């Protein structure tokens, strides 16, 4: 069992940037597939970015070229650098553990508590 604690959310103007961070506990952190999901008001949760065991990083089409996911196995952290933000990026963002790897909602085995990102 792993605990996930997100931080870094907030309000930003369109075109701005934010960096989300997730602190994770767990002895096998380096072997986890992890990612970021989000849920906008009135919408279903969707995968935004993932990082697989081989280091590959799938992204949702809507964020490609704007968001960058990174994982620090030594610090047990997962970050999401977001730039060129638009109001459509407004959502609660969740740090997740996935099995198997990828961006499928059905693959999420662990959720963080979420952090709000608001773009105006």
């Amino acid at each position: 069992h792993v605990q996930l604690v997100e931080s870094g959310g907030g309000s930003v103007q369109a075109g701005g940037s934010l960096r989300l961070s997730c602190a994770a506990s767990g002895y096998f952190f380096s072997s986890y597939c992890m990612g970021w999901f989000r849920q906008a008001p009135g919408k279903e949760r969707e995968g935004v970015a993932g990082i697989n065991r081989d280091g590959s990083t799938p992204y949702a089409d809507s964020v490609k070229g704007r968001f960058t996911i990174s994982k620090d196995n030594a610090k047990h952290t997962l970050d999401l650098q977001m730039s060129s933000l638009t109001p459509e990026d407004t959502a609660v963002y969740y740090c997740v553990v996935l099995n198997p790897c990828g961006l499928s909602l059905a693959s999420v085995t662990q959720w963080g508590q979420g952090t709000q990102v608001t773009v105006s």
Side-chain angles (χ1 to χ4, degrees):
H1 185 76
V2 60
Q3 287 187 320
L4 305 171
V5 180
E6 301 98 334
S7 61
S11 297
V12 65
Q13 291 188 338
S17 299
L18 276 176
R19 188 177 185 89
L20 305 182
S21 187
C22 173
S25 64
Y27 292 110
F28 305 106
F29 179 82
S30 62
S31 68
Y32 295 152
C33 294
M34 299 189 71
W36 289 93
F37 276 58
R38 68 185 180 186
Q39 186 168 25
K43 295 187 177 180
E44 295 185 352
R45 293 185 182 186
E46 63 173 355
V48 174
I51 189 161
N52 299 331
R53 292 186 184 89
D54 62 0
S56 59
T57 52
Y59 291 94
D61 288 343
S62 59
V63 306
K64 281 180 181 177
R66 301 189 299 121
F67 289 12
T68 302
I69 189 171
S70 59
K71 186 170 178 263
D72 189 324
N73 289 327
K75 295 182 179 179
H76 284 205
T77 57
L78 180 77
D79 290 349
L80 184 68
Q81 178 67 45
M82 306 183 294
S83 60
S84 301
L85 287 162
T86 73
E88 288 68 39
D89 295 314
T90 295
V92 178
Y93 284 72
Y94 298 91
C95 175
V96 302
V97 177
L98 298 130
N99 187 25
C101 303
L103 288 180
S104 170
L105 183 60
S107 298
V108 177
T109 60
Q110 192 84 31
W111 295 87
Q113 85 284 356
T115 185
Q116 177 71 46
V117 172
T118 302
V119 184
S120 60

